Amino acid sequence: MPELPEVEIVKQSLDKKIKYKKIKNVLIRNRNLRFKIPLKFEKQIVQKTIKKISRFSKYLIIHLIDNSSFIIHLGMTGTIHILEKNKKNFNTNLSFYSARQLPKKHNHIEIKFDKINMIYNDPRRFGFIKFFLNKKNLINYFKDLGPEPFSNSFNINYVVNYLKGKDKNIKNFLLDQKFVSGIGNIYASEILFLCKIKPLKKAKNLSIYDYKKIIYFSRYVLKQSIKKGGSTIRDFKNIHGDTGKFQKEFRVYQRENLNCLKKGCKGIIKKKNITNRSTFFCNSCQK
Ligand SMILES: [Zn+2]
């Protein structure tokens, strides 16, 4: 599943390809995604120019010139392909779980620009697309989500107030989008390893210093991953066909039974299912 860093890479790639371009035509081959694409969607975006592309958490936001917008969520298997006229279809893919060529099936949506087609493909159909008439509607859509780790609102006062007295374990909080938006399963394990905090530790038993480390390393891990082009698990590539490199930096994720990478630590990396999600941690240096 693409997480925040991978969606950020897709955003940066789209920004290079479709910003300031006018939507000439919209073709919907299959409306069945997580939410059915309304019949009026094509009319709502056609003939409009892309003003900018932004991202909140794992949502791509395509801003249009008249202050309307639409969001794309890639779900589990959503990918975006760019086909350029006069170019072969190599490395069309912009997102997680890619193929080198445009797949033959599951190309749900095609948005046509001059000389460029952008295609949304989603075999498992957990992704979705949604239109917003104005900025107020867009902001309102995200109102129940917590701040991103990068946001100034994700600060020590916020974290202390949110977590104090809470019985739930800290790993579950990092995945709780109401608390903080955009930390997924892979990165939650990596963050807690750097914090030296055991994933099953109850939030209420953490110290102020622990809370500070969580803020610091949440930002650090996501930034590092974006810098490395995201994590490539099953072929994630950016617009140039380059794979992400962050999976080579994993310190605990998918390192079950291997030695801990922390200097001087003799611990072994363990894997445990927490609320049905694989969680990796060192049995020695994470307390
Ligand atoms: Zn260790």
Side-chain angles (χ1 to χ4, degrees), residues 209-235:
Y209 180 55
D210 289 332
Y211 293 144
K212 283 184 177 167
K213 283 192 296 190
I214 285 170
I215 295 168
Y216 177 84
F217 285 114
S218 297
R219 290 173 180 161
Y220 175 83
V221 167
L222 295 179
K223 269 188 195 159
Q224 285 293 311
S225 180
I226 291 168
K227 229 165 132 181
K228 299 273 175 181
S231 300
T232 291
I233 293 169
R234 300 192 211 170
D235 264 359

Side-chain angles (χ1 to χ4, degrees), residues 193 259-262 264-269 281-286:
F193 173 74
N259 293 329
C260 176
L261 292 175
K262 190 182 173 317
C265 179
K266 297 260 188 318
I268 301 288
I269 305 306
F281 60 96
C282 171
N283 65 355
S284 172
C285 65
Q286 285 178 261

Side-chain angles (χ1 to χ4, degrees), residues 242-256:
D242 305 323
T243 55
K245 302 278 187 284
F246 193 71
Q247 73 281 2
K248 292 176 186 153
E249 317 273 321
F250 287 163
R251 293 163 180 93
V252 282
Y253 190 76
Q254 289 180 339
R255 294 195 66 252
E256 190 183 7

